[in-house]
Amino acid sequence: MLTWLQRESLEFPPLERALREPNGLLAAGGDLTSERLIQAYRHGCFPWYQEGQPILWWSPDPRTVLPPNEIHISHSLAKLMRQQRFQVTFDHDFAGVIRGCAGPRSYADGTWITPAMQAAYIELHRIGVAHSVEVWLEGELVGGLYGLAMGKLFFGESMFSRIDNASKVGFATLAQHLGKWGFALIDCQMPTQHLQSFGARTISRAAFSRNLQLYLDQPNSADWIA
């Protein structure tokens, strides 16, 4: 049975109560306050819903992850990065990145990054929890991604490209920095061919929960002003 969250409580049900079909649906309702969002990621779930639906909270099993030091960068991508055709920055234009991620996609109708979601994650960025990666070409924002950093874990949310390879350069650059900063894992949530090409793999929900326990409160050496 699906749990409906109460606005006066930040408590989520145990992850083991997530539905098998649809895979990982854990709860509905609640709100998108910073406190609840932080609690959700610490608990092992995240919001994902369409405009007009209640807020839905998910914890899929298995979970797609990538240890940043194990990223696979193809020869062609490595060559492109060495050419420095793109400039990559962190936290320079979070609002621009999330708007880009919310933009229309050729393979999907609508977006789950609703105006309410955008406002909620912009607030997380304001308090230093959410971060963005910007990819620029001749001064124009052409790609990027955003997510949350807690302890030694980075919870990836979404990425976009306006020209070929822009998001790939952004993701690879982020992973390299996360590895140097001591991060243990990138949470990629769900599998995609794009992420699998970087070496992302699936682990059980139980294994993901163990990583939360191990790394959420561990210090890192991140410097997001880059």
Side-chain angles (χ1 to χ4, degrees):
M1 181 179 295
L2 184 64
T3 299
W4 283 84
L5 304 180
Q6 303 301 314
R7 286 183 178 269
E8 63 270 16
S9 172
L10 298 179
E11 184 176 354
F12 285 88
L15 298 183
E16 295 75 19
R17 289 176 56 182
L19 301 182
R20 292 185 178 181
E21 183 60 40
N23 176 20
L25 181 57
L26 178 68
D31 51 39
L32 295 174
T33 62
S34 296
E35 293 80 8
R36 189 182 301 277
L37 285 169
I38 291 170
Q39 178 60 23
Y41 285 92
R42 291 186 64 86
H43 187 65
C45 63
F46 54 88
W48 182 43
Y49 66 102
Q50 300 291 332
E51 190 78 64
Q53 292 180 329
I55 300 171
L56 302 177
W57 304 88
W58 301 79
S59 180
D61 188 14
R63 190 87 164 218
T64 303
V65 299
L66 175 63
N69 283 328
E70 297 179 17
I71 187 172
H72 169 71
I73 298 177
S74 67
H75 293 299
S76 58
L77 181 58
K79 179 179 179 180
L80 179 61
M81 294 172 70
R82 287 195 300 270
Q83 291 172 346
Q84 298 184 335
R85 178 187 176 198
F86 299 105
Q87 179 190 9
V88 180
T89 59
F90 299 146
D91 283 357
H92 278 45
D93 189 2
F94 187 93
V97 167
I98 199 168
R99 284 196 302 268
C101 291
R105 309 287 177 108
S106 60
Y107 52 84
D109 295 327
T111 178
W112 59 271
I113 309 175
T114 64
M117 288 278 276
Q118 292 181 48
Y121 283 83
I122 288 171
E123 175 61 17
L124 285 177
H125 173 65
R126 188 190 69 79
I127 65 176
V129 177
H131 300 278
S132 60
V133 179
E134 301 86 19
V135 183
W136 308 86
L137 180 62
E138 298 178 353
E140 180 182 354
L141 183 65
V142 295
L145 62 118
Y146 73 97
L148 282 66
M150 299 184 191
K152 291 186 176 181
L153 301 175
F154 185 85
F155 301 87
E157 272 300 308
S158 186
M159 62 178 67
F160 79 101
S161 280
R162 292 185 175 130
I163 63 174
D164 290 345
N165 297 312
S167 66
K168 289 184 179 181
V169 170
F171 183 75
T173 302
L174 171 66
Q176 290 175 334
H177 279 77
L178 291 176
K180 294 175 183 176
W181 294 337
F183 280 70
L185 208 65
I186 301 172
D187 171 29
C188 303
Q189 298 180 351
M190 304 295 289
T192 67
Q193 185 176 5
H194 180 73
L195 292 167
Q196 289 169 337
S197 71
F198 283 108
R201 61 178 186 266
T202 57
I203 61 175
S204 69
R205 183 191 290 129
F208 183 74
S209 294
R210 289 194 291 271
N211 278 282
L212 293 176
Q213 295 169 9
L214 283 171
Y215 299 117
L216 261 176
D217 296 313
Q218 295 295 315
N220 64 67
S221 59
D223 178 10
W224 293 99
I225 307 301

